[in-house]
Amino acid sequence: MRIHALFVILVVALWACGADGDDTPAETESVDSTQLEIHNTLTEVEIQQGWMLLFDGVSTEQWRGYNQDSFPARGWKVENGELLVQKSGTEEEGYGGDIITREQYQDFVFSFDFMLTDSANSGILYLVQEVDDTPIWHNAPEYQILDNPTYTSMLGADWMPTHRTAENYDLHAAEEDHCKPPGEWNTGMIRKSGTHVQHWLNGHLMIEYHLRSPEWNTLVANSKFNEYPNYGQANVGHIGIQDHGHEVRFRNLKIRTR
């Protein structure tokens, strides 16, 4: 009787432990779901919405160097499914140089993930026109990418508005800073419809403006771009990524044109 009672108690205890019907080993329940994320792909819904990948995690065939026929042989690298501009310390001179899409776009939504490193500086340029012996930023508006805290410390808070991540470089300032620190992934987005442009960061609308509006013209006239008459005048152009001599990683580069 004593052995039978002990057997019953053991059976009851085992049944209680599995009463929720889940026989999955405990150690598998703690798997971080972010490890299961698949990048540089499109969902069925995204495909139906008209999204197209500009980087599949392996090939750079949809990009080439600014004013070049092919992708830069140095300064850029594909690593672990990420497109990265390598650190060279060359600042605006770059090393591999800026890159642009092979296609040009007029109205679009461009989405991208990026990860900063310490002191990183880069940018996404759009409506890019290729002009021989002329830097890419002389004509193309820029979605700024920057390690905001480091540059605030180096250059002061007064310099930062219009230069922080997701702002329209040197023209439009955002009310708040929603950029994650170096080592964490951010999601940026640029929307252009006609002359209307929006910059988004991590789900927040950062700035919006109208190209060639009276406000735009005034801001350009009072900026570093007042020397370049073609700045922001195009309505169709390439999308570019700036090589500013600092390491920045990119993934999930995709665009929708309808």
Side-chain angles (χ1 to χ4, degrees), residues 159-181:
W159 180 87
M160 292 303 292
T162 74
H163 297 93
R164 296 175 299 180
T165 292
E167 295 181 327
N168 184 19
Y169 177 73
D170 212 40
L171 296 179
H172 292 90
E175 293 184 359
E176 297 180 352
D177 179 5
H178 291 284
C179 188
K180 296 178 183 179

Side-chain angles (χ1 to χ4, degrees), residues 66 98-100 125 128-129 134-140 240-242:
Y66 176 70
D98 305 323
I99 61 172
I100 61 172
L125 299 108
V128 173
Q129 308 297 301
T134 300
I136 193 173
W137 56 269
H138 280 201
N139 61 68
I241 305 179
Q242 184 184 43

Side-chain angles (χ1 to χ4, degrees), residues 14-220:
L14 290 172
W15 175 86
C17 291
D20 58 2
D22 183 6
D23 57 358
T24 303
E27 59 267 27
T28 65
E29 296 176 0
S30 62
V31 172
D32 185 353
S33 62
T34 59
Q35 296 176 0
L36 306 179
E37 289 183 295
I38 300 176
H39 299 288
N40 308 308
T41 60
L42 297 176
T43 66
E44 289 297 325
V45 172
E46 288 176 320
I47 294 173
Q48 293 173 8
Q49 292 174 338
W51 287 96
M52 298 174 289
L53 281 179
L54 293 180
F55 175 63
D56 64 2
V58 178
S59 172
T60 59
E61 64 180 3
Q62 298 194 68
W63 299 82
R64 61 178 175 85
Y66 176 70
N67 279 332
Q68 301 176 44
D69 293 329
S70 59
F71 194 83
R74 64 180 190 179
W76 293 83
K77 184 179 181 181
V78 174
E79 181 179 87
N80 299 324
E82 299 159 8
L83 176 64
L84 66 101
V85 55
Q86 296 177 294
K87 181 177 180 180
S88 62
T90 52
E91 299 301 322
E92 290 186 31
E93 300 299 322
Y95 182 65
D98 305 323
I99 61 172
I100 61 172
T101 55
R102 291 189 176 273
E103 299 295 328
Q104 298 189 51
Y105 304 97
Q106 182 169 346
D107 292 339
F108 60 86
V109 182
F110 176 59
S111 179
F112 54 99
D113 293 348
F114 64 94
M115 180 189 290
L116 295 161
T117 55
D118 182 60
S119 303
N121 187 342
S122 183
I124 303 293
L125 299 108
Y126 46 98
L127 305 177
V128 173
Q129 308 297 301
E130 289 184 285
V131 182
D132 291 341
D133 302 320
T134 300
I136 193 173
W137 56 269
H138 280 201
N139 61 68
E142 178 182 345
Y143 179 114
Q144 171 75 353
I145 293 177
L146 195 76
D147 174 7
N148 296 335
T150 295
Y151 281 85
T152 299
S153 176
M154 290 192 307
L155 302 174
D158 292 342
W159 180 87
M160 292 303 292
T162 74
H163 297 93
R164 296 175 299 180
T165 292
E167 295 181 327
N168 184 19
Y169 177 73
D170 212 40
L171 296 179
H172 292 90
E175 293 184 359
E176 297 180 352
D177 179 5
H178 291 284
C179 188
K180 296 178 183 179
E184 296 186 24
W185 285 101
N186 295 270
T187 297
M189 185 167 63
I190 302 168
R191 292 178 177 267
K192 179 189 176 292
S193 178
T195 63
H196 185 213
V197 179
Q198 295 179 333
H199 289 188
W200 291 76
L201 177 63
N202 296 324
H204 299 273
L205 175 60
M206 303 297 287
I207 62 97
E208 60 182 328
Y209 66 89
H210 283 272
L211 288 160
R212 303 179 292 281
S213 65
E215 179 204 24
W216 164 274
N217 292 334
T218 298
L219 290 173
V220 171

